Amino acid sequence: MFGNRITLFKLFGFAVRVDMSWVVLAVLVTWSLAKGRFPSTLNETYPQSYYWLMGAAGAIGLFASIIFHELSHSLVAKQYGLPISGITLFIFGGVAEMEEQPENAKTELLMAAAGPASSVLLGLVFYGVAFFGKYHQWPELITAVIDYLASINIVLAVFNLIPAFPMDGGRILRAALWGWKDNLRWATRIAARAGSVFSVLLIIMGALIVMWGNFIGGFWFIIIGMFIKRAADMSYQQVIMTRALQGEPVGRFMRLNPVTVPPHITIRELIEDYVYRYHYKMFPVVEGERLAGCISTRQVKELPREAWESTPVSAVMEQCSAENCIQQEADATKALARMSQRGVSRLMVVSGDRLLGMVTLKDLLQFLSLKIELEDNER
Ligand SMILES: [Zn+2]
């Protein structure tokens, strides 16, 4: 989902990013405003370029409104000490990227409610400004855009209040259930199931609308339904995994005596004796006791074949980065998050400049499936 995104700017310390899919939405919004809403609602007729400018202003306003919504989530999260890595806007709106789950039902409730509440507030402010503008006879070109922003913020609030986890409404539902029975797993399951049911309803509704003859409108319902379904299933699994791994230090899953590479061997030796033998993409380079660097197939690929025989590993290895290292006492949930973010299956467990061992995705998942199997009756 977050494949091609670019960082735009920082706001209150949160990086605001845009997924390329958002560009599609921006174009669609500008186009439908310029061709549909504005020409049909204005009293007078204007040159076509005016409508396009208004459409662009509407799209930018929508963009700012979504950032405002996500920022409210993030600020409440920050208030409760939950780290938020940034805000990403994609085709259906925005996501405040949480690295950890809230610790209790109240925090979750406040965090989830902050978004829709801020959108309603912003919508009311825009309604107020539009009212003021009409009273003072501002040009209708301007008040029409403000009117649009007022209504779109209310739509944002309502859309996000759909009780389908992980939408805000679903989070509110989960927080309420969680507070009621003090069982996060059960609450998540019910909220995610509500999300699934709701998404199927949306898809059926979309199909009916298509048959009715409104292809584009119906198609949107179907896409949104599929999106909610996928998100609901994924976040349920994520919660189960996080709960099972929370509080388990990485050191517990660590494999001792990992395969390491000495810095003086050649790239050809590395490939013959290590890559083709162990099938790993990355190897730690160890000199004596010290972790000297990391060598991966990526660096080998950049080297011309003729140079394999003569180049030592130490000449092309890179500094090991936070991408492939983790501290021994770090939480296993952190290791799992890092693996999925970076798309790697092994992390080196380090202490200072010493390599202690390796932690692998396979071991983490094996532990998870055992734990979930044994404790599944805990409902
Ligand atoms: Zn929200």
Side-chain angles (χ1 to χ4, degrees):
M1 196 184 306
F2 302 118
N4 299 312
R5 55 188 194 179
I6 40 172
T7 303
L8 293 182
F9 47 80
K10 278 203 157 189
L11 210 60
F12 297 101
F14 304 112
V16 177
R17 305 185 194 95
V18 148
D19 183 274
M20 290 326 278
S21 65
W22 205 87
V23 179
V24 178
L25 180 72
V27 170
L28 274 177
V29 168
T30 309
W31 177 73
S32 66
L33 287 177
K35 287 282 174 191
R37 182 178 172 114
F38 292 142
S40 64
T41 53
L42 294 180
N43 295 324
E44 286 169 51
T45 313
Y46 299 91
Q48 195 62 54
S49 59
Y50 285 32
Y51 297 129
W52 283 108
L53 278 177
M54 291 168 72
I60 292 170
L62 171 62
F63 177 81
S65 300
I66 297 174
I67 292 181
F68 184 76
H69 175 110
E70 297 308 325
L71 201 60
S72 322
H73 286 306
S74 305
L75 287 174
V76 174
K78 202 175 172 185
Q79 195 73 31
Y80 286 94
L82 284 164
I84 299 277
S85 61
I87 295 169
T88 298
L89 300 187
F90 64 109
I91 196 155
F92 297 113
V95 181
E97 282 154 44
M98 249 193 301
E99 282 170 359
E100 289 166 28
Q101 299 279 340
E103 261 166 31
N104 56 54
K106 191 185 146 215
T107 312
E108 161 126 272
L109 182 70
L110 291 175
M111 257 184 64
S118 68
S119 290
V120 169
L121 187 76
L122 195 59
L124 293 178
V125 169
F126 277 123
Y127 273 125
V129 175
F131 184 78
F132 179 87
K134 279 173 204 159
Y135 185 78
H136 289 275
Q137 283 160 9
W138 290 0
E140 62 169 347
L141 295 169
I142 293 173
T143 52
V145 174
I146 300 173
D147 258 334
Y148 161 71
L149 291 177
S151 54
I152 201 68
N153 270 287
I154 303 298
V155 169
L156 268 182
V158 172
F159 176 66
N160 275 287
L161 280 173
I162 293 174
F165 191 80
M167 312 279 290
D168 296 340
R171 287 185 182 277
I172 293 172
L173 173 65
R174 179 172 85 152
L177 295 170
W178 184 10
W180 177 36
K181 286 226 173 145
D182 196 26
N183 184 338
L184 176 62
R185 198 138 144 228
W186 171 78
T188 307
R189 191 164 52 220
I190 302 293
R193 204 167 282 167
S196 289
V197 170
F198 211 94
S199 59
V200 171
L201 286 180
L202 278 176
I203 293 171
I204 294 173
M205 216 156 90
L208 288 176
I209 295 174
V210 168
M211 285 190 265
W212 214 260
N214 182 349
F215 185 77
I216 306 266
F219 197 64
W220 269 105
F221 273 91
I222 293 173
I223 301 243
I224 292 172
M226 278 164 39
F227 164 74
I228 295 179
K229 175 101 181 69
R230 209 177 86 102
D233 294 346
M234 262 172 38
S235 49
Y236 177 56
Q237 282 162 8
Q238 199 193 354
V239 168
I240 296 291
M241 279 159 81
T242 310
R243 288 305 263 193
L245 282 181
Q246 218 159 35
E248 307 280 357
V250 164
R252 215 189 131 150
F253 305 95
M254 181 171 71
R255 287 187 175 222
L256 299 171
N257 307 316
V259 181
T260 62
V261 173
H264 57 79
I265 64 164
T266 66
I267 295 297
R268 169 154 317 279
E269 284 173 312
L270 170 80
I271 292 172
E272 295 295 335
D273 301 344
Y274 292 88
V275 178
Y276 290 161
R277 183 154 163 219
Y278 299 103
H279 316 282
Y280 297 138
K281 281 188 171 163
M282 186 275 296
F283 291 90
V285 183
V286 172
E287 188 168 29
E289 290 276 279
R290 202 174 62 88
L291 178 64
C294 287
I295 180 87
S296 70
T297 47
R298 187 163 49 85
Q299 284 129 21
V300 173
K301 264 189 265 173
E302 284 167 11
L303 200 69
R305 236 164 200 286
E306 313 85 72
W308 284 8
E309 204 70 62
S310 56
T311 314
V313 163
S314 57
V316 281
M317 71 182 185
E318 282 186 350
Q319 204 68 34
C320 297
S321 61
E323 275 183 32
N324 44 29
C325 292
I326 193 147
Q327 299 290 321
Q328 184 181 16
E329 59 283 350
D331 213 88
T333 50
K334 206 171 196 174
L336 198 63
R338 192 164 295 176
M339 286 176 188
S340 77
Q341 266 169 17
R342 309 287 177 192
V344 295
S345 56
R346 303 192 315 149
L347 292 173
M348 291 179 292
V349 184
V350 294
S351 166
D353 64 351
R354 286 197 40 195
L355 176 69
L356 303 173
M358 281 281 186
V359 55
T360 69
L361 182 63
K362 208 171 133 206
D363 290 343
L364 288 179
L365 293 181
Q366 232 150 35
F367 172 83
L368 265 173
S369 72
L370 277 175
K371 189 159 178 180
I372 290 169
E373 194 187 309
L374 289 174
E375 298 177 15
D376 204 29
N377 48 359
E378 169 221 308
R379 283 188 182 164

